[in-house]
Amino acid sequence: MLCLLLVSTIGISQSNPKVASDVDIKDIKIGEQINFTVNVSIDSIDQVTFPEGQSFAPLEMVEAFATDTIPENGKLTLIKKYALTQFDSGSYTLPQQKIIINNKIFPTDSVNIYVNTIPVDTLAQQLFDIKDIINVEKESSFPWFWTLIIIGAILIIVGLLYFFIWRKKTLTEEEKVALLPPYDRAMLELKKLENSKYLIQDEYKQYYSELTDIVRSYLEEDVHISALESTTDQLISKLEMLKDAGNLKLEEDTIRQFKNILQTSDLVKFAKSKPDTSVAEQDRKAIENIVTKTKDAIPPPTEEELLQREEYLEELARKKHRNKIIITVVVAVSVLIISTVAAVSYFGFSYVKDSILGHPTKELLETEWITSTYGYPPITIETPKVLIRQEFEITPELKADIKNVQVFMYRSSIGLFSVGVSSTTFTKPVEPNTELSVNALIQQFETQGAKNIITKTEEFTTASAVKGIKTYGTGKFSVSGSKELVNGEYAIITFGGKGFQQQIILTWLEDDQYAKDIVDRILSTIDVKTE
């Protein structure tokens, strides 16, 4: 590839151009650089083409510097510098370089360059064994922020479940009273009634209402009769029926006394009767005595009743524990469903599914990427994995044209994704045949089982404005572990110049969006040296 420097104006050169060249040093060490300078003296209307690319073989061009232009007495002096090197010792001849001025060739002088080895004094410089490979810690790409948020949310939910569901709660005084046996609770409530100010404040209706409610509640719980909703006559009739049946061993006087107190309560509540304070206090004491006698009159539970009660309590505890588990599961499932719906709404179903179940190219896309330079002429590229050097043997029929081929590649163990780069140097400073090399790669795909390959071509430009050719398309490719062909895509990016060629080869599944994102990112990072 030739880079043209045009000094454009209308007219004809009025004097003969002059070309001179020189090197700053002719005797170098291995890998040391020399500066090759070309000076061209021309008129302002002349157009000049300097040599570009690897036209300095057997020396290798490291860098071509920008052309300096110096105006002087109506003429121009152009200065072009090149940095050259060689990595093998020996005597080399820097060949003549062709400077084209107004379509006429002006050759530079050839120069002999001597490349010396670096002597090693083993007496003055101690030699050491090669050190072992060590692991280098790299920055983790683990999503700590979102992980901590999720863990925090889980801890909050667990804390709420424990506090409201599983925690053994401290009982209030009312709850402690409610858990007392019916008799103890009735006696405690009668004691509170004794210490109340109802009688002092002349609130007899409230006093007798609580007095009868206490004894009625006790009878419902311990005697198992519907006492709260029964009238006085109905309640007394139920007690007498239990006494006659032998299920409640109460004396007749006790029942009669209880009936009198209930009738007095009815008169106070409904007829606004007002007994003496002493009578009200005696009625309370009588109720205490009636409750105690009723408790003693209840036949002791049989062994079968005790067993049934124990089974009932156990079933009640199991039911309570089961309800706690159900509530916990419902809350956990609800949180999971809400979180999943929110994640799917924000990230999309495929992303959430692949994040949970895993996806090989998604993991590649989200890993820490590596920027590296491969081969010579060098190819700089950013990839999710380091490309590994591949063994490549030049066939005898190609040795006459190809000097060296360096290949580096990464291939995913699952699916079709792969990325590779190759740098080829030729034995002669000729332009590469891009079409021929791309066809060879397509044939290689077909040799590996690919079919129905469609090819398209367009220009490709790197971020540093280096132009190349992009060959891309679709096809059916074979993958390891499967006998069936899969729909895939490929891209081949080719650069080159005199005596060399550089290629980047990518393959991926057609419906793999993560792989497409990887390919787009890789293509945006390609940088090559073509001069």
Side-chain angles (χ1 to χ4, degrees), residues 202 204-205 263-275:
D202 208 25
Y204 283 88
K205 181 177 180 181
Q263 289 174 342
T264 301
S265 175
D266 290 341
L267 291 173
V268 171
K269 290 188 289 184
F270 302 114
K272 297 184 179 180
S273 174
K274 185 178 178 182

Coordinates of all heavy atoms in Angstrom, one line a residue, residues 202 204-205 263-275:
D202 N -71.4 4.4 92.6 CA -72.9 4.2 92.5 C -73.2 3.6 91.1 O -74.2 3.9 90.5 CB -73.6 5.5 92.7 CG -75.1 5.2 93.2 OD1 -75.3 4.1 93.8 OD2 -75.9 6.0 93.0
Y204 N -74.0 0.4 89.9 CA -74.4 -0.9 90.2 C -74.7 -1.8 89.0 O -74.4 -3.0 89.0 CB -75.7 -0.9 91.1 CG -75.4 -0.5 92.5 CD1 -75.4 0.8 92.9 CD2 -75.2 -1.5 93.5 CE1 -75.1 1.2 94.2 CE2 -74.9 -1.1 94.8 CZ -74.9 0.2 95.2 OH -74.6 0.5 96.5
K205 N -75.2 -1.1 87.9 CA -75.4 -1.9 86.7 C -74.1 -2.4 86.1 O -74.1 -3.6 85.7 CB -76.1 -0.9 85.7 CG -76.5 -1.6 84.4 CD -77.2 -0.7 83.5 CE -77.6 -1.4 82.1 NZ -78.3 -0.5 81.2
Q263 N -81.2 -13.2 89.5 CA -82.4 -12.4 89.4 C -82.2 -11.0 89.9 O -82.7 -10.0 89.4 CB -83.5 -13.1 90.3 CG -84.0 -14.4 89.6 CD -85.0 -15.1 90.5 OE1 -85.0 -14.9 91.7 NE2 -85.8 -16.0 89.9
T264 N -81.4 -10.9 91.0 CA -81.0 -9.5 91.5 C -80.3 -8.7 90.4 O -80.5 -7.5 90.2 CB -80.1 -9.7 92.7 OG1 -80.8 -10.4 93.7 CG2 -79.7 -8.3 93.3
S265 N -79.4 -9.4 89.7 CA -78.7 -8.7 88.6 C -79.6 -8.3 87.5 O -79.5 -7.2 86.9 CB -77.6 -9.7 88.0 OG -77.0 -9.1 86.9
D266 N -80.6 -9.1 87.2 CA -81.6 -8.7 86.2 C -82.4 -7.5 86.6 O -82.7 -6.6 85.8 CB -82.6 -9.9 85.9 CG -81.9 -11.0 85.2 OD1 -80.8 -10.8 84.6 OD2 -82.4 -12.1 85.2
L267 N -82.7 -7.4 87.9 CA -83.5 -6.2 88.4 C -82.6 -5.0 88.3 O -83.1 -3.9 88.0 CB -83.9 -6.5 89.8 CG -85.0 -7.5 90.0 CD1 -85.3 -7.8 91.5 CD2 -86.3 -7.1 89.4
V268 N -81.3 -5.1 88.6 CA -80.4 -4.0 88.6 C -80.3 -3.5 87.2 O -80.3 -2.3 86.9 CB -79.1 -4.3 89.2 CG1 -78.1 -3.2 89.0 CG2 -79.2 -4.6 90.7
K269 N -80.1 -4.4 86.2 CA -79.8 -4.0 84.8 C -81.0 -3.6 84.1 O -80.9 -2.6 83.2 CB -79.2 -5.2 84.1 CG -77.7 -5.5 84.6 CD -77.1 -6.6 83.7 CE -77.7 -8.0 83.9 NZ -77.0 -9.0 83.1
F270 N -82.2 -4.2 84.4 CA -83.4 -3.9 83.5 C -84.4 -3.1 84.3 O -85.2 -2.4 83.7 CB -84.0 -5.2 83.0 CG -83.0 -6.0 82.2 CD1 -82.6 -7.2 82.7 CD2 -82.5 -5.5 81.0 CE1 -81.7 -8.0 82.0 CE2 -81.6 -6.3 80.3 CZ -81.2 -7.5 80.8
A271 N -84.5 -3.2 85.6 CA -85.5 -2.4 86.4 C -84.9 -1.3 87.2 O -85.6 -0.7 88.0 CB -86.2 -3.4 87.3
K272 N -83.6 -1.0 87.0 CA -82.9 0.0 87.7 C -83.0 -0.1 89.2 O -83.1 0.9 90.0 CB -83.4 1.4 87.3 CG -83.2 1.7 85.8 CD -83.6 3.1 85.4 CE -83.4 3.3 83.9 NZ -83.8 4.7 83.5
S273 N -83.0 -1.4 89.7 CA -83.0 -1.6 91.1 C -81.6 -1.3 91.7 O -80.6 -1.3 91.0 CB -83.3 -3.1 91.4 OG -83.2 -3.4 92.8
K274 N -81.6 -0.9 93.0 CA -80.4 -0.5 93.6 C -80.3 -1.1 95.0 O -80.8 -0.6 96.0 CB -80.3 1.0 93.7 CG -79.0 1.5 94.3 CD -79.0 3.0 94.3 CE -77.7 3.5 94.9 NZ -77.6 5.0 95.0
P275 N -79.7 -2.3 95.1 CA -79.5 -3.0 96.4 C -78.5 -2.3 97.3 O -77.8 -1.4 96.8 CB -79.1 -4.4 96.1 CG -78.4 -4.2 94.8 CD -79.1 -3.1 94.1

